[in-house]
Amino acid sequence: DGGITQSPKYLFRKEGQNVTLSCEQNLNHDAMYWYRQDPGQGLRLIYYSQIVNDFQKGDIAEGYSVSREKKESFPLTVTSAQKNPTAFYLCASSIEEGYGYTFGSGTRLTVV
Amino acid sequence: GEDVEQSLFLSVREGDSSVINCTYTDSSSTYLYWYKQEPGAGLQLLTYIFSNMDMKQDQRLTVLLNKKDKHLSLRIADTQTGDSAIYFCAERDDKIIFGKGTRLHILP
């Protein structure tokens, strides 16, 4: 079955550490997205990529980095520059930018 | 800029109909969506409507679109405990813009 897989489901980070969240899809989708979800804030776009080797900043890119070396994969690194990283992170993909999104099941990141 | 607004909470008695409302600002939106998010999970596409349609029905779900007022609603008939979730309205022009979500609480 085609789908989008995020791992790990739960992640704990110490202050000052970088961590990388994985997102893999086998839907042959060109576009991929990373969102951050905080209670009462809805979804905020961090980064998106319309095609391999290209990506753009979203609304809250500071303190995050991404890469898109393969069509299937769009990992997100939460750097130590992100001052408040504790949140639920959602990855999504679509056939092309703007079409209905398929979401992963999310990664909950907690800073300890 | 583009914006999607929806109320944050709705409580409905089991068996009643739930109506979740949404307003959007981008008149050039081509598709409008409703997504459902259960606790600790990602978003699941429930239904969508093209901007040239007024209504779409899919089993217990009815979507109404008033393009003049830029108002979208989702009606869930015979609300069940399994419908308890956060419902996100979203519009698409070149990107998808999400509302902040309406948390639907089911009363026994």
Side-chain angles (χ1 to χ4, degrees), chain B residues 1-91:
Chain B
E2 301 152 344
D3 199 13
V4 177
E5 298 278 344
Q6 49 184 134
S7 55
L8 294 182
F9 298 100
L10 177 67
S11 289
V12 172
R13 208 159 289 283
E14 189 176 358
D16 289 349
S17 292
S18 305
V19 180
I20 303 170
N21 294 301
C22 167
T23 57
Y24 61 97
T25 56
D26 188 353
S27 58
S28 61
S29 294
T30 51
Y31 292 81
L32 294 124
Y33 305 90
W34 283 104
Y35 282 84
K36 177 183 181 181
Q37 184 183 33
E38 296 182 355
L43 276 67
Q44 170 196 354
L45 179 63
L46 267 185
T47 187
Y48 64 93
I49 188 167
F50 296 108
S51 59
N52 62 359
M53 295 170 65
D54 298 324
M55 186 182 89
K56 180 178 180 182
Q57 188 151 3
D58 183 4
Q59 298 182 331
R60 291 192 298 123
L61 305 178
T62 303
V63 178
L64 295 177
L65 174 60
N66 181 328
K67 200 171 179 185
K68 174 174 164 290
D69 294 337
K70 300 193 189 77
H71 183 267
L72 182 74
S73 69
L74 173 70
R75 178 176 178 269
I76 305 172
D78 187 25
T79 307
Q80 303 297 308
T81 54
D83 296 323
S84 180
I86 301 175
Y87 291 82
F88 289 90
C89 171
E91 63 168 347

Side-chain angles (χ1 to χ4, degrees), chain A residues 90-103:
Chain A
L90 286 162
C91 180
S93 69
S94 67
I95 292 172
E96 60 184 71
E97 188 182 8
Y99 275 84
Y101 295 170
T102 300
F103 280 85

Side-chain angles (χ1 to χ4, degrees), chain A residues 35-44 88, chain B residues 8 88 98-101:
Chain A
Y35 287 90
R36 171 181 171 140
Q37 187 177 23
D38 296 282
Q41 297 244 22
L43 301 176
R44 292 186 288 169
F88 190 53
Chain B
L8 294 182
F88 289 90
F98 291 88
K100 292 187 176 179

Side-chain angles (χ1 to χ4, degrees), chain A residues 6-58:
Chain A
Q6 290 186 242
S7 62
K9 191 168 176 66
Y10 300 96
L11 188 56
F12 297 90
R13 191 195 93 169
K14 291 183 181 177
E15 296 267 1
Q17 278 185 339
N18 292 354
V19 288
T20 297
L21 283 59
S22 170
C23 179
E24 303 275 334
Q25 54 99 359
N26 60 2
L27 299 165
N28 201 33
H29 285 172
D30 286 314
M32 296 186 75
Y33 311 83
W34 274 107
Y35 287 90
R36 171 181 171 140
Q37 187 177 23
D38 296 282
Q41 297 244 22
L43 301 176
R44 292 186 288 169
L45 182 63
I46 305 172
Y47 268 99
Y48 65 102
S49 167
Q50 296 171 258
I51 199 163
V52 175
N53 292 322
D54 185 50
F55 49 83
Q56 286 80 40
K57 293 182 179 180

